[in-house]
Amino acid sequence: MSSPLRLGTRGSALAMAQSGHVAEALTAATGRPVELVEVVTAGDRSSAPVHRLGVGVFVSALRDALTAGTIDFAVHSYKDLPTAAAAGLHIAAVPPRQDPRDALVAKGGRTLAELPPGAVVGTGALRRIAQLHALGLQLEVTPIRGNVDTRLRRVLDPDADLDAIVLARAGLARLGRTDEITETLDPMLMLPAPAQGALAVECRADDTNLVELLAVLDHAPSRAAVVAERALMATLEAGCSAPVAAYAELAEGDAGEEIYLRGAVISPDGTRDLRLSRTGTPADAAEIGKALAAELLDLGADSILGHDGSTGPGTQQFGSTE
């Protein structure tokens, strides 16, 4: 039997769960055994708010381990990856994407509309904070950190200090905790982060045998959606310090399969909210993202980008899936 492939992963319950799913899928498809190797990242060691940590804080240690050869491949929450390609590394597969929408977990089984004015809602992403403010529901929104279980306890425990939290539905699904969801949020209310719910399976570009082996996990529709969303993010990235959201869906159109991309740029206080959409073919996913970003810039998105000074040029304020 071939020696096990070493799959690098963060040590959180969610990261281990999603890496475990990838390992099982690869072994089932190829017969190759896989062992998980825990790698501690800078994001795991910090208690700072996610949007202040900078791009790549959850992935740099994994990429260092890949480059050093101490692991053979890594599984990332795709939305944590910087948009710039990493030298010598290759995204070999984007497995089928989990539901990318955000989810609400609230006391008493409430929906977002049922929360009373002044209700305290916690979330780890500035993108979500901005969109909650934009809804005008008079909620008190506060940034939070911690893994999924830690966040859930802040709502569900007897001494809970929050009325609700908003987090990625995909993380709850991968942990088998969807029963805790009181509302899955419509993207018309809460547009997801680019690549939310998607995983990136990355290896060294010169490991051609592994590149070929991992390709069995790739799901073309999920990859096309993520390419469109991240192309929009990359085009807006320079100087961006405001929340950016994007969500691409694939469906059958009159002339074959189409990709429908929605994008948004929202000021942190929610007072300015630009939203546009664009369609095209999956083969043109990257160009669709770039064109939609250009339209947003033409409408004044550049006057929103950089409005909040909490991060410098070239950073994105997306939290980890947790």
Side-chain angles (χ1 to χ4, degrees):
M1 181 179 293
S2 300
S3 59
L5 292 167
R6 300 162 299 170
L7 193 170
T9 177
R10 293 173 58 202
S12 70
L14 176 56
M16 295 293 283
Q18 61 195 25
S19 295
H21 292 325
V22 169
E24 291 169 7
L26 185 63
T27 299
T30 67
R32 188 72 184 268
V34 178
E35 64 178 6
L36 301 187
V37 178
E38 182 179 341
V39 177
V40 179
T41 73
D44 299 314
R45 291 191 295 267
S46 174
S47 60
V50 171
H51 68 269
R52 296 186 185 274
L53 291 176
V55 176
V57 68
F58 293 108
V59 302
S60 57
L62 286 165
R63 285 180 157 175
D64 289 345
L66 265 179
T67 301
T70 56
I71 59 175
D72 298 307
F73 68 114
V75 173
H76 309 285
S77 291
Y78 211 150
K79 71 174 182 177
D80 291 342
L81 290 183
T83 52
L89 301 180
H90 173 67
I91 303 299
V94 180
R97 187 183 197 178
Q98 277 277 0
D99 188 334
R101 293 176 294 175
D102 284 309
L104 180 79
V105 178
K107 290 179 180 176
R110 290 185 175 95
T111 65
L112 194 60
E114 292 169 342
L115 291 174
V120 182
V121 182
T123 184
L126 190 56
R127 169 191 59 83
R128 296 187 189 115
I129 293 172
Q131 291 187 88
L132 286 168
H133 285 315
L135 293 174
L137 297 177
Q138 297 180 296
L139 302 172
E140 182 181 334
V141 187
T142 185
I144 59 174
R145 279 293 308 271
N147 60 35
V148 171
D149 285 333
T150 298
R151 297 185 189 198
L152 289 173
R153 284 196 294 270
R154 294 187 64 179
V155 175
L156 303 177
D157 276 9
D159 59 348
D161 64 324
L162 299 174
D163 295 299
I165 57 172
V166 179
L167 67 174
R169 193 185 196 284
L172 292 168
R174 290 186 176 116
L175 290 171
R177 303 293 297 271
T178 54
D179 289 349
E180 313 286 4
I181 296 172
T182 57
E183 182 182 11
T184 298
L185 299 176
D186 190 315
M188 294 296 290
L189 297 176
M190 182 72 65
L191 202 64
Q196 184 159 299
L199 300 178
V201 182
E202 188 172 49
C203 67
R204 291 180 293 279
D206 61 3
D207 192 345
T208 53
N209 289 335
L210 187 54
V211 169
E212 184 176 348
L213 188 76
L214 294 174
V216 71
L217 301 177
D218 195 60
H219 183 244
S222 295
R223 184 181 281 268
V226 166
V227 165
E229 294 165 10
R230 283 173 58 83
L232 178 143
M233 181 171 72
T235 305
L236 295 173
E237 189 169 20
C240 176
S241 58
V244 175
Y247 181 29
E249 298 176 276
L250 273 71
E252 283 298 319
D254 294 337
E257 197 170 41
E258 289 185 342
I259 190 165
Y260 172 54
L261 174 65
R262 283 176 276 180
V265 177
I266 316 100
S267 65
D269 62 3
T271 58
R272 300 188 64 192
D273 188 352
L274 295 177
R275 294 173 186 259
L276 290 174
S277 63
R278 193 176 182 92
T279 60
T281 66
D284 294 326
E287 295 308 314
I288 295 167
K290 293 175 185 176
L292 186 55
E295 291 182 58
L296 286 165
L297 289 169
D298 286 344
L299 285 181
D302 54 345
S303 67
I304 299 176
L305 305 180
H307 179 268
D308 172 77
S310 60
T311 60
T315 63
Q316 290 293 328
Q317 301 196 27
F318 307 124
S320 85
T321 302
E322 295 173 298

